[in-house]
Amino acid sequence: MKKTIINYNQAVRFIESLSNTAASQKGRDVEIIKERLRNVKRFLKFLGNPEKKLKIIHIAGTSGKGSVVAMLHSILQADNKKVGSYTSPHTTTYCERIKVGDKYISEKELIDAVNFLKDRMDEYMQRDANISNYTRMPRKNTRIESHSSRHSCAFAFFESRLSLNFFEFSFCLAIYYFAKQHCEYAVIETGCGGRYDASNAIKKPVYTIITNIGPDHLDIFGNLKNIANEKAGIIKSGVPLLTGETDKRWINMFKKELELLHCYIAILLKKINYADLKNIETNLNGTSFEYKNEKYNLQLVGEHQARNATLAIECANDLKINNIGKGLERAFYPARMEVISINPTIIIDGAHNEDKLQALLRFLTPKTYNSKPNKKYLIFALAKNKQVTKVLPQLLEFFDVTYLTRFSNPFRKVMNYSDWLTKFAKSDKNKLYYKHYAKDALVEILPKLKKDDLLVITGSIFLAGELREHWCSEEEIVKNRKSIF
């Protein structure tokens, strides 16, 4: 068949358009999401089960899973393993989701993969699906078949084959690409939750990690117990589980999941002992720490990255992977407390929940800088479903000037001007500004920045990626297949 998608923008536009093939997860019906997961498994089988050709490390958790993916990818590559990784959402451009070695998927490779998979999806949906055959299918306990009942029977058949939505297609594309590239390992991050996430179509990973349990996506899952239960869903029979969680409630939930799978808990479940993590030092140049008497260095900044690194270290050790220190030093992940400039200091961070914003504030202490910032600016946008009421007053108190704004992602509801007025009704309006277009805020602040000033851009990975383009454009990322400028 002739390739109908011929450029990068068309490929991305097609993938994004798949968002309209299924309702959002909010208010989701359990039976529907179960069927969607079964559908992803059937589609992978239709493709020849490319996931079975890969040694997959599957990672879930509220915070840190993307950074752990990046660290494990770098460690495996440093040990001369051919490795692919899949993360979401992307920072600036779609290709950042899918990486093999030190390069994102290329423009041509993405175009070819999208053309191939969309054609396979057509075949999958229509395979053996001559509707005239199914309108004649007998129905149990029915002597006379009406037209409507025959139609229902045919509809039920077609409902068992569903068009893939945006995330399902993206996940399958990544798996297909990794297999085609003959990767040995693939490090996969869940999208939302875990149990019914499309990535949980992976039946037998070689290793699973649950970073932690925290209050995010409460609009979908309701409470922390439900969140923990969703994350526990990636646990598989006979597959090692590593976690950085310390709360006994959630540890016991993981144990219960292992019991239901008739697994040896003492053998498969490993918890990080943070008493082994010592001498953490972090500044604008990176992070250093000791773990089990070994010294490590990261270019990623923030004390939390040392904790994330312990998960990568333990996983690599369990899988008998070498060159861990070398891999950690090289690990990079855009818009995660990324220092764009030193003088003035400009930091871009995709923090979007209480835990991540608290980690950012902990990093923004006087010891991080050679001297106290003269003036501190904040550009902040937040998705409407995020609950960060505890940390918002701290942000306002820390920064001298705050620009509230929006991000441009059309698939996410964003806090608007009236929402902010409600939250900050009693705040000092003299230091609060609002811009409908985030780049207007950036353009207004940049000329004002002096050598000892600080600018932080945070609240959403979509905002971070949008404004990061000022320094590293989408065109450069696609062309160079890297996000480092």
Side-chain angles (χ1 to χ4, degrees):
M1 182 181 290
K2 184 179 179 181
K3 294 180 180 179
T4 51
I5 290 175
I6 59 175
N7 62 49
Y8 181 81
N9 288 333
Q10 288 177 352
V12 173
R13 192 157 58 245
F14 170 78
I15 299 169
E16 290 177 343
S17 75
L18 294 172
S19 295
N20 64 21
T21 64
S24 67
Q25 294 204 55
K26 188 173 183 179
R28 60 186 187 165
D29 181 278
V30 173
E31 289 306 314
I32 291 175
I33 57 176
K34 282 182 179 178
E35 181 55 36
R36 295 208 66 87
L37 179 56
R38 287 192 289 265
N39 187 61
V40 175
K41 293 177 180 178
R42 286 192 295 265
F43 185 66
L44 288 173
K45 184 177 180 180
F46 182 73
L47 294 177
N49 289 119
E51 76 281 4
K52 291 184 178 180
K53 300 175 182 177
L54 305 164
K55 296 176 183 175
I56 295 176
I57 302 170
H58 197 196
I59 304 176
T62 299
S63 301
K65 56 185 181 294
S67 295
V68 176
V69 169
M71 291 177 190
L72 280 170
H73 183 113
S74 186
I75 290 169
L76 286 159
Q77 187 180 359
D79 200 38
N80 297 315
K81 302 290 190 292
K82 189 161 189 182
V83 55
S85 59
Y86 175 71
T87 56
S88 66
H90 55 267
T91 304
T92 301
T93 188
Y94 183 87
C95 67
E96 291 171 297
R97 292 172 176 256
I98 302 169
K99 185 177 182 181
V100 171
D102 62 351
K103 297 283 189 180
Y104 298 133
I105 187 171
S106 72
E107 184 174 0
K108 181 181 184 304
E109 288 168 336
L110 182 66
I111 294 166
D112 290 345
V114 171
N115 274 306
F116 175 81
L117 284 183
K118 72 174 176 59
D119 292 344
R120 297 295 81 72
M121 189 161 62
D122 289 344
E123 292 174 11
Y124 169 73
M125 292 291 293
Q126 299 177 67
R127 184 184 56 176
D128 304 324
N130 183 343
I131 194 167
S132 62
N133 292 334
Y134 294 94
T135 55
R136 292 193 294 272
M137 288 175 64
R139 293 174 63 85
K140 292 182 179 180
N141 303 319
T142 305
R143 293 184 64 188
I144 300 175
E145 227 179 340
S146 67
H147 170 77
S148 61
S149 66
R150 291 195 303 271
H151 176 76
S152 296
C153 186
F155 180 76
F157 167 79
F158 285 115
E159 280 292 282
S160 69
R161 292 181 191 168
L162 307 170
S163 297
L164 302 181
N165 63 25
F166 171 86
F167 187 84
E168 293 161 352
F169 187 91
S170 297
F171 165 70
C172 290
L173 191 155
I175 294 295
Y176 162 75
Y177 177 67
F178 297 151
K180 189 174 181 182
Q181 292 293 310
H182 304 292
C183 291
E184 181 181 358
Y185 283 90
V187 191
I188 306 293
E189 173 188 8
T190 60
C192 183
R195 188 175 299 276
Y196 302 117
D197 186 77
S199 67
N200 213 27
I202 302 164
K203 294 180 180 179
K204 198 72 173 179
V206 297
Y207 208 89
T208 52
I209 299 174
I210 301 175
T211 58
N212 67 330
I213 304 299
D216 200 5
H217 299 298
L218 289 170
D219 59 317
I220 297 173
F221 301 117
N223 55 53
L224 281 173
K225 183 178 179 181
N226 291 339
I227 290 173
N229 181 59
E230 284 289 321
K231 310 297 184 189
I234 73 164
I235 296 171
K236 302 291 189 302
S237 178
V239 178
L241 168 66
L242 172 67
T243 184
E245 183 54 64
T246 57
D247 192 311
K248 291 182 179 179
R249 293 174 297 170
W250 317 137
I251 297 295
N252 288 334
M253 189 172 285
F254 302 159
K255 289 180 178 178
K256 184 177 179 181
E257 192 77 25
L258 286 164
E259 286 174 358
L260 291 172
L261 295 169
H262 305 290
C263 294
Y264 294 101
I265 296 172
I267 296 175
L268 292 179
L269 176 60
K270 176 185 284 190
K271 297 171 287 184
I272 296 294
N273 183 358
Y274 290 112
D276 294 325
L277 179 61
K278 300 175 181 178
N279 300 324
I280 303 173
E281 294 184 10
T282 187
N283 55 43
L284 297 176
N285 296 312
T287 304
S288 63
F289 62 95
E290 291 181 20
Y291 182 65
K292 294 185 175 179
N293 300 318
E294 292 285 337
K295 293 183 178 181
Y296 298 96
N297 295 296
L298 302 168
Q299 59 176 300
L300 298 167
V301 302
E303 290 184 4
H304 63 292
Q305 293 293 9
R307 292 191 292 274
N308 289 334
T310 62
L311 291 163
I313 291 166
E314 290 293 347
C315 175
N317 280 328
D318 288 345
L319 294 175
K320 311 300 182 189
I321 305 298
N322 300 312
N323 292 323
I324 294 174
K326 184 178 180 181
L328 286 176
E329 284 182 15
R330 294 177 177 177
F332 170 76
Y333 202 26
R336 271 66 179 182
M337 287 196 200
E338 183 180 6
V339 180
I340 300 294
S341 168
I342 298 291
N343 292 309
T345 301
I346 301 175
I347 298 172
I348 295 182
D349 189 31
H352 59 266
N353 61 37
E354 290 275 3
D355 290 346
K356 293 180 179 182
L357 288 167
Q358 290 286 3
L360 173 64
L361 281 173
R362 285 194 298 272
F363 177 69
L364 297 174
T365 58
K367 69 178 182 179
T368 308
Y369 308 95
N370 295 327
S371 60
K372 186 178 179 181
N374 177 50
K375 199 164 187 177
K376 296 168 287 189
Y377 295 86
L378 171 67
I379 300 178
F380 190 71
L382 194 67
K384 217 163 191 174
N385 66 329
K386 301 300 179 183
Q387 299 182 23
V388 296
T389 51
K390 293 179 182 178
V391 76
L392 284 178
Q394 298 173 50
L395 282 169
L396 281 183
E397 185 179 348
F398 181 84
F399 290 95
D400 300 307
V401 179
T402 298
Y403 279 75
L404 304 169
T405 187
R406 303 163 56 255
F407 48 78
S408 299
N409 187 308
F411 305 112
R412 295 288 191 279
K413 293 288 185 181
V414 65
M415 296 282 283
N416 57 42
Y417 183 62
S418 60
D419 297 320
W420 290 123
L421 282 179
T422 302
K423 287 187 177 295
F424 299 129
K426 297 180 181 179
S427 300
D428 180 6
K429 299 296 192 303
N430 292 326
K431 68 177 216 175
L432 283 174
Y433 302 90
Y434 184 83
K435 296 290 183 182
H436 278 92
Y437 188 47
K439 290 185 180 178
D440 287 341
L442 184 65
V443 168
E444 194 164 304
I445 291 174
L446 286 178
K448 300 177 181 178
L449 288 179
K450 297 178 181 178
K451 183 178 179 181
D452 295 326
D453 288 347
L454 167 69
L455 168 61
V456 175
I457 299 165
T458 192
S460 167
I461 193 65
F462 305 118
L463 174 71
E466 189 175 330
L467 295 191
R468 193 177 186 274
E469 281 196 86
H470 181 82
W471 295 274
C472 189
S473 71
E474 180 176 7
E475 291 75 16
E476 290 174 318
I477 295 170
V478 174
K479 179 182 177 181
N480 299 323
R481 301 171 64 187
K482 289 188 176 184
S483 285
I484 299 175
F485 54 88

